[in-house]
Amino acid sequence: METQLFNTLTQKKETFFPQEGDKVRFYVCGPTVYDLIHIGNARVFVVFDSLRRFLEHRGWEVIMVQNFTDIDDKIIKRAEELGESPQELAERYIAEYWHDAENLKIRKATFHPRATEHIEDIIALIKILEEKGYTYEKEGDVLFDVSRFPSYGKLSRKNLDELVEGARVEARYEKKNPADFVLWKKAKPGEPSWESPWGEGRPGWHIECSAMSMKYLGPTLDIHAGGIDLIFPHHENEIAQSEAATGKPFARFFLHNGYVNIDQEKMSKSLGNIVTVRELTQKYEPSVLRLAIFSAHYRSPINLDENLLQSSRQFEERIKNFLRNIGFIEEKIKDNSALLKEDKEEYHKIDEFSRSFQEALADDFNTPQALGVLGEFLRFFNQYLSPRRGKWDLQVLEKIRDFLKMVEEILGILPGKEMEISDEAIKKLVEERERARRDKDWERADQLREEIKSRGYVVEDTPLGPRFFKMEEQ
RNA sequence: GGCGGCAUAGCCAAGUGGCUAAGGCAGAGGACUGCAAAUCCUUCAUCCUCGGUUCGAGUCCGAGUGCCGCCUCCA
């Protein structure tokens, strides 16, 4: 089965394959570290990390690069407000990023380059552009001259004339063309700066991604991804400066995910409706947040509200129960061959689910559809795992585990821990309750169930005997 | 003003010309249970409106309505 991905460049789904062998060169625009990441950031990182996992599952080796923008206007401004150095601020929020990313089960990329550690590469790239005549200077800034790059606008489907009309006039100086953007910014007194052929300054926002992606992945990326709002101007500018410098296509596939909305409106600083990952994960488990993110296709907007989160939490609860169900049966048949038999049909059924699941993801990473397959899988095998069934096939159980493992490896939505029975005191109470039940002393049995509950455990009766597990606090 | 996206059940959300319109959440009824819990079963939509293409359309085309976004920092 082929992997199809919607390419922003061509506005259609295309069959994906790497440009060279098994290596996928994958670049995702990372956070500007001036604050905690919000759930809009989270969506980008979760979705593309999972896409990477899927590509790896397909047998490709993915070299993933996600940058940290650790120097820019927002960082400088924020640092000033807080009375610390921009470096300290950036360092602090990079640490906070790691915290949130780990919490959300976002895997580390192969490389996480920082802008400030690649100033030389950035300068070298600007020099090339300068030599090729793509730049001009204005009051100490070095700008990219978009009029020299004829295909400017190909990603965002804009033409320069319209941009001229619509563009806002900048206060400091007049550009040759309003779409021209800064490659190297002259430092104001007191600002962090680096020496360069154009004087003390710092890189513009767009140039770092070009410089770093090319350094780690070469002139042409297989995939370049980010939020939909990066199409213009960020990715448009990256294309211009990169292709102007190398003469080669900057990226074969551009992937963009939709917004996270709050009350049907774009989450943004100006509307003051930012929700941080930190806030949300205090209330919801990471697997719940991931489930919610995957409940809509990555290119659609999503409203991550209480309603959706609650419904995702309920679904997750069902997944947890499934894990208890299989764990219980595994436990019961471990030393009891009387409970074994061969189940061919179920065995093969798992292959079908597995194929459907992967087909869904191979079709432009259709996670809602993949979750639909998971839902059907749960229903089918909950029937199979019913204690009333009486006999099971070890190989089927193993294969169910394999399926779950695959789902977890790609989507990372399974709850962290399964039921563990270690509390001897609880065990004793459960046994005592069983004796009461055998004596049909229902009052005593119910009393004991309450007692067990008050100690934080749930006990359930099945034809194979009672099972119990620790309740979750939420 | 220019450009783009979306409109499917109470809510969320797949589906891109053809068997009974996935799946999740919520609701109702039932099976199972000493009672529960879990689980399963049943039930719950003709797909914004109008017109067109077609043997056949949620799926294609046109018009309309509504919502959202980009054109400016932004994931």
Side-chain angles (χ1 to χ4, degrees):
Chain A
M1 117 196 31
E2 295 184 326
T3 302
Q4 302 269 119
L5 292 171
F6 184 91
N7 189 350
T8 306
L9 275 169
T10 55
Q11 295 290 304
K12 57 183 188 227
K13 282 186 203 171
E14 295 177 43
T15 301
F16 175 80
F17 55 90
Q19 60 189 302
E20 182 201 328
D22 289 338
K23 274 197 177 70
V24 177
R25 298 148 207 267
F26 195 161
Y27 188 95
V28 179
C29 286
T32 300
V33 282
Y34 68 109
D35 205 344
L36 292 172
I37 60 166
H38 57 248
I39 55 181
N41 296 308
R43 187 180 192 193
V44 178
F45 305 141
V46 165
V47 161
F48 293 118
D49 170 50
S50 286
L51 174 61
R52 167 211 195 178
R53 299 181 190 205
F54 178 63
L55 296 176
E56 285 177 347
H57 184 81
R58 309 237 81 186
W60 286 311
E61 181 199 343
V62 181
I63 308 165
M64 184 132 178
V65 178
Q66 184 182 108
N67 67 300
F68 284 113
T69 299
D70 61 349
I71 183 67
D72 91 322
D73 290 348
K74 292 193 293 285
I75 292 173
I76 292 170
K77 185 167 169 250
R78 194 77 202 282
E80 204 171 297
E81 286 166 10
L82 295 176
E84 64 185 320
S85 75
Q87 292 89 329
E88 282 169 347
L89 181 89
E91 205 58 51
R92 202 150 55 78
Y93 280 116
I94 287 173
E96 300 285 15
Y97 170 84
W98 291 129
H99 179 93
D100 286 331
E102 191 186 340
N103 199 222
L104 281 178
K105 300 206 260 184
I106 297 164
R107 279 176 25 193
K108 281 200 178 185
T110 317
F111 301 103
H112 283 275
R114 304 177 187 188
T116 58
E117 290 172 358
H118 294 79
I119 300 294
E120 283 178 27
D121 302 298
I122 291 168
I123 289 173
L125 181 58
I126 300 173
K127 265 188 184 161
I128 292 172
L129 291 171
E130 187 177 45
E131 283 159 17
K132 293 194 173 185
Y134 285 101
T135 68
Y136 63 94
E137 285 185 55
K138 203 95 188 181
E139 298 184 18
D141 290 355
V142 181
L143 287 98
F144 186 90
D145 183 351
V146 296
S147 68
R148 295 271 288 106
F149 188 75
S151 65
Y152 189 84
K154 68 178 171 186
L155 180 69
S156 54
R157 276 140 217 283
K158 297 178 190 307
N159 65 58
L160 277 177
D161 301 343
E162 284 167 1
L163 284 172
V164 174
E165 269 175 51
R168 201 171 54 177
V169 180
E170 299 231 350
R172 255 182 74 209
Y173 50 73
E174 194 149 331
K175 299 172 184 174
K176 279 188 173 170
N177 191 312
D180 293 345
F181 53 93
V182 176
L183 298 169
W184 189 261
K185 197 165 187 163
K186 184 186 177 180
K188 290 181 205 146
E191 283 182 355
S193 65
W194 290 262
E195 271 183 45
S196 83
W198 316 280
E200 290 277 317
R202 60 189 153 93
W205 174 38
H206 313 294
I207 195 72
E208 62 169 275
C209 286
S210 291
M212 295 191 290
S213 68
M214 287 196 255
K215 169 156 188 176
Y216 291 92
L217 299 170
T220 301
L221 307 171
D222 287 305
I223 300 177
H224 192 154
I228 194 171
D229 49 345
L230 294 186
I231 293 175
F232 189 89
H234 188 53
H235 289 166
E236 195 69 63
N237 292 351
E238 284 181 29
I239 290 174
Q241 64 202 182
S242 303
E243 297 189 356
T246 67
K248 293 175 181 152
F250 179 49
R252 298 168 61 236
F253 282 74
F254 270 94
L255 270 35
H256 295 98
N257 67 277
Y259 284 122
V260 171
N261 290 162
I262 300 292
D263 295 329
Q264 316 298 340
E265 266 185 316
K266 178 184 170 179
M267 188 170 70
S268 73
K269 274 263 145 54
S270 51
L271 286 165
N273 56 0
I274 299 282
V275 178
T276 61
V277 166
R278 202 58 61 83
E279 274 174 73
L280 214 61
T281 49
Q282 279 173 357
K283 207 169 165 194
Y284 293 95
E285 289 180 64
S287 45
V288 171
L289 183 52
R290 293 180 69 100
L291 274 171
I293 287 171
F294 292 139
S295 77
H297 184 90
Y298 75 92
R299 284 192 283 117
S300 308
I302 192 172
N303 221 22
L304 277 176
D305 57 15
E306 287 291 316
N307 205 357
L308 177 61
L309 259 358
Q310 279 297 346
S311 128
S312 300
R313 175 181 280 171
Q314 285 309 116
F315 186 49
E316 196 222 21
E317 193 56 42
R318 232 177 106 220
I319 298 173
K320 281 181 183 165
N321 266 313
F322 185 87
L323 294 173
R324 287 178 195 125
N325 292 344
I326 187 170
F328 185 67
I329 298 300
E330 282 168 341
E331 187 70 23
K332 287 294 167 190
I333 66 175
K334 205 159 54 181
D335 308 307
N336 191 348
S337 58
L339 297 176
L340 294 177
K341 80 188 225 335
E342 199 180 17
D343 291 313
K344 271 221 149 70
E345 193 187 323
E346 283 79 3
Y347 187 82
H348 293 298
K349 192 80 184 169
I350 301 173
D351 290 329
E352 278 178 45
F353 281 120
S354 185
R355 198 183 322 119
S356 304
F357 184 82
Q358 289 176 64
E359 268 169 3
L361 295 180
D363 182 11
D364 196 25
F365 205 56
N366 193 332
T367 55
Q369 194 158 67
L371 290 182
V373 175
L374 178 61
E376 288 177 30
F377 175 89
L378 293 179
R379 175 150 39 82
F380 186 89
F381 282 103
N382 263 326
Q383 273 173 287
Y384 181 73
L385 294 169
S386 164
R388 251 183 305 164
R389 185 183 171 93
K391 285 182 192 289
W392 297 270
D393 186 336
L394 259 178
Q395 285 191 305
V396 171
L397 296 181
E398 275 171 26
K399 217 160 175 191
I400 293 174
R401 286 290 187 186
D402 287 345
F403 179 86
L404 293 173
K405 197 176 156 207
M406 174 194 70
V407 171
E408 175 60 13
E409 276 173 2
I410 298 171
L411 297 184
I413 50 173
L414 264 40
K417 50 201 178 288
E418 291 190 29
M419 62 173 179
E420 280 181 37
I421 310 160
S422 52
D423 194 320
E424 286 302 317
I426 298 295
K427 253 184 202 166
K428 284 222 166 64
L429 286 171
V430 171
E431 282 164 18
E432 196 182 335
R433 178 165 172 276
E434 271 310 282
R435 282 195 292 276
R437 290 184 71 234
R438 228 169 283 141
D439 298 341
K440 299 208 186 304
D441 184 352
W442 308 127
E443 203 179 317
R444 177 77 185 135
D446 290 346
Q447 208 178 2
L448 283 160
R449 183 161 56 200
E450 278 308 307
E451 169 67 19
I452 292 164
K453 192 177 167 192
S454 72
R455 297 190 187 200
Y457 284 79
V458 177
V459 60
E460 300 174 350
D461 303 321
T462 85
L464 288 175
R467 67 177 201 184
F468 59 97
F469 54 90
K470 205 166 177 61
M471 276 188 285
E472 321 238 341
E473 312 120 43
Q474 257 177 21

